[in-house]
Amino acid sequence: YLGKEAQSLGMKAYIVGGIVRDIMLGRESLDLDVVVEGNAVDFLKSINQEGCHISLHERYKTGSLIFSDGMKVDVATARREFYEYPLAQPRVSSDSLKHDLYRRDFTINAMAVSITPDSWGTLIDYFGGRRDLNKKTLKVLHNLSFVEDPTRVIRGIRLEQRLNFHLEDNTLRLLHSCLKGGLLARLSGYRLRSELELTMQEKAPFPALKRMAELGVWDILFPGLRIGKTAVRTIRRLSAFLARISRDFPDFRGYEWLAFLAALAIESHETVQFAILDRLSLAPRERDIMVQSLDGLRAAEQDLGGRTLVKNSEIYGYLREISPVTALFWSAATERWRVRRRILSYLTRLYRTKSHLTGRDLIEMGYRGGPQIGEILSQLRDRCLNEELTTLEEEVAWIKN
Ligand code: ATP
């Protein structure tokens, strides 16, 4: 449909970047990026699909289509060196796609496939992306690539480990000189944080984090960071637990990556830990999660490993006060099995325990709304947690008594 629409406006449209790579590898891809030779904004404005929301950034000549099922298609105008010449008149020439692709990070991410009907399915591969895909190599498009954008160092490592590829020799050499030249160290906190966040959100972040250690990236980013056995073990456990838990516990609010960051820093001196928080310009909430995770571990082990917090309701009451991300981190960081078991039981089961009876039921039963109902519900929940009440009838009987 998009290709036809482009053609009717006299434009050409392509899918580009990660999606082409993933299709060729037979992998699932989340984003769909489309580039048009022509103005993407005009193109998007002409689209009239029911159930599809369009957002536009006129200034950047980009926009997105958001479908009702949540799928998102980003559409950009093929552009040459947009950032270098911000005042230049927009121009659309036959080589604009080539220039657009040339700005990209690795050859395997710099391919396009036409979706315009008259050339539908044609692969456009100016830089040997298909060859590198077959060779399983990651190769930059030119020697200044990492200098132009040092975040590509981290992108490269992430992709290398995700796809099980390897960085091509010259690319690896350029990567090392980028590190030696101190370019990565100069990245803004925000950009660095975004890349690390993406890396730690990978399905299996450990290989990329390990590779970053091997290549000396951590020494440059966070001088003094100590990654020993405990950090490694914690990171590994985090991945395993997350895979197990996330089906039941969808409520980490995108902060899971902070558990990995805490794991990375677990063996480092407090001054290094704080330096990391500052370097990444974390938001106050994120800092709180990190500080509580790292500082609170010993106390949590004491509290949850002993005989004072034994009942489910007590464990619930204790862990409910803290971020589930911190709880997740503690469960992976502790070597005490009882502590781990209690936290995991909270994360997989206890946290979502509710009584059958709701506040509305209580009002119907004649209680007045307000704090009293909250108190009754919380007592009910505690009894459900401790399995003293299991059925609706038992709850009603308990209330009546
Ligand atoms: P992922 O599966 O991680 O989303 P992706 O390749 O789709 O992988 P995006 O971050 O969505 O990654 O970027 C889309 C495309 O934009 C990439 O395939 C690449 O062509 C280009 N790109 C993204 N970031 C950069 C960058 N820093 N430098 C050059 N090109 C980039």
Side-chain angles (χ1 to χ4, degrees):
Y1 171 78
L2 294 178
K4 263 196 205 143
E5 194 57 35
Q7 187 160 305
S8 74
L9 294 171
M11 302 179 184
K12 286 179 186 289
Y14 307 86
I15 53 170
V16 292
I19 176 89
V20 176
R21 173 198 76 212
D22 288 338
I23 290 174
M24 292 173 80
L25 289 171
R27 290 175 70 98
E28 204 182 324
S29 193
L30 294 178
D31 328 314
L32 182 54
D33 288 314
V34 169
V35 161
V36 293
E37 287 187 306
N39 188 329
V41 169
D42 296 341
F43 168 71
L44 282 163
K45 280 181 178 165
S46 78
I47 285 173
N48 196 0
Q49 276 271 51
E50 227 177 280
C52 163
H53 174 79
I54 294 175
S55 76
L56 299 170
H57 302 283
E58 307 248 0
R59 193 163 155 229
Y60 296 104
K61 297 197 170 52
T62 63
S64 323
L65 296 169
I66 299 138
F67 292 89
S68 45
D69 61 0
M71 180 177 168
K72 188 167 161 233
V73 180
D74 289 322
V75 184
T77 303
R79 57 191 176 201
R80 344 172 37 143
E81 316 301 273
F82 190 85
Y83 299 108
E84 273 87 341
Y85 307 108
L87 297 174
Q89 287 299 309
R91 48 179 290 178
V92 180
S93 58
S94 59
D95 61 357
S96 62
L97 178 69
K98 185 168 182 179
H99 282 272
D100 188 289
L101 294 173
Y102 189 63
R103 295 181 306 117
R104 289 167 189 268
D105 48 4
F106 301 99
T107 59
I108 63 164
N109 283 343
M111 292 184 279
V113 171
S114 167
I115 54 167
T116 320
D118 62 9
S119 52
W120 203 89
T122 309
L123 174 71
I124 290 131
D125 178 15
Y126 293 112
F127 313 107
R130 185 169 25 186
R131 176 202 58 209
D132 292 335
L133 209 67
N134 289 333
K135 288 203 302 197
K136 296 186 157 223
T137 53
L138 276 172
K139 185 175 166 193
V140 285
L141 278 83
H142 54 82
N143 284 355
L144 288 178
S145 188
F146 292 125
V147 178
E148 240 170 56
D149 181 356
T151 61
R152 291 173 187 164
V153 168
I154 303 175
R155 285 184 61 83
I157 295 172
R158 190 164 69 232
L159 211 53
E160 181 194 47
Q161 297 305 312
R162 184 201 301 167
L163 301 177
N164 204 5
F165 276 33
H166 57 273
L167 290 156
E168 169 258 0
D169 287 349
N170 184 49
T171 300
L172 197 57
R173 196 177 54 76
L174 296 167
L175 186 146
H176 278 300
S177 37
C178 170
L179 293 178
K180 266 200 216 117
L183 290 171
L184 198 64
R186 266 187 273 153
L187 270 184
S188 74
Y190 177 75
R191 298 197 68 204
L192 183 58
R193 169 240 159 89
S194 308
E195 288 306 325
L196 294 185
E197 184 177 354
L198 284 171
T199 307
M200 293 177 186
Q201 278 167 347
E202 288 282 305
K203 242 192 210 133
F206 180 71
L209 301 180
K210 179 167 166 236
R211 180 77 160 133
M212 286 169 74
E214 248 167 53
L215 294 171
V217 175
W218 297 122
D219 299 333
I220 286 170
L221 291 180
F222 306 131
L225 185 73
R226 200 184 108 72
I227 308 177
K229 283 205 178 105
T230 305
V232 167
R233 225 181 280 147
T234 307
I235 292 170
R236 287 218 146 119
R237 280 195 199 121
L238 275 174
S239 287
F241 293 171
L242 260 181
R244 227 169 80 193
I245 289 168
S246 54
R247 257 175 299 128
D248 309 311
F249 199 101
D251 209 16
F252 291 111
R253 295 168 195 262
Y255 288 134
E256 298 91 313
W257 74 282
L258 292 173
F260 286 95
L261 189 63
L264 202 69
I266 192 171
E267 288 171 86
S268 301
H269 193 268
E270 202 182 54
T271 50
V272 176
Q273 295 176 343
F274 276 104
I276 294 175
L277 308 188
D278 292 339
R279 176 68 181 93
L280 297 179
S281 328
L282 294 188
R285 172 81 187 127
E286 296 166 334
R287 282 184 81 95
D288 288 349
I289 291 177
M290 287 291 291
V291 171
Q292 189 170 35
S293 298
L294 290 164
D295 278 5
L297 176 61
R298 293 289 161 249
E301 284 181 325
Q302 293 262 310
D303 296 339
L304 287 163
R307 299 193 187 282
T308 43
L309 300 173
V310 177
K311 286 185 180 174
N312 283 345
S313 58
E314 291 164 346
I315 296 168
Y316 179 97
Y318 185 84
L319 289 173
R320 195 179 64 149
E321 299 300 319
I322 56 133
S323 160
V325 178
T326 295
L328 174 72
F329 169 74
W330 289 343
S331 74
T334 185
E335 293 299 334
R336 296 173 62 174
W337 64 268
R338 187 187 278 165
V339 175
R340 177 173 316 138
R341 201 196 54 205
R342 285 178 173 166
I343 299 176
L344 287 178
S345 105
Y346 169 78
L347 289 176
T348 53
R349 217 160 42 84
L350 304 184
Y351 88 95
R352 60 194 156 115
T353 304
K354 281 201 183 82
S355 51
H356 294 86
L357 286 171
T358 63
R360 188 171 301 156
D361 294 333
L362 294 181
I363 288 173
E364 276 175 17
M365 289 167 79
Y367 287 93
R368 268 197 308 151
Q372 193 196 5
I373 287 201
E375 179 51 35
I376 296 174
L377 282 174
S378 122
Q379 287 191 27
L380 259 178
R381 190 191 46 229
D382 282 354
R383 284 173 170 74
C384 293
L385 281 164
N386 297 339
E387 291 162 13
E388 292 159 18
L389 301 173
T390 51
T391 64
L392 176 62
E393 291 71 29
E394 285 170 4
E395 288 177 23
V396 173
W398 180 80
I399 293 268
K400 288 198 170 143
N401 281 328

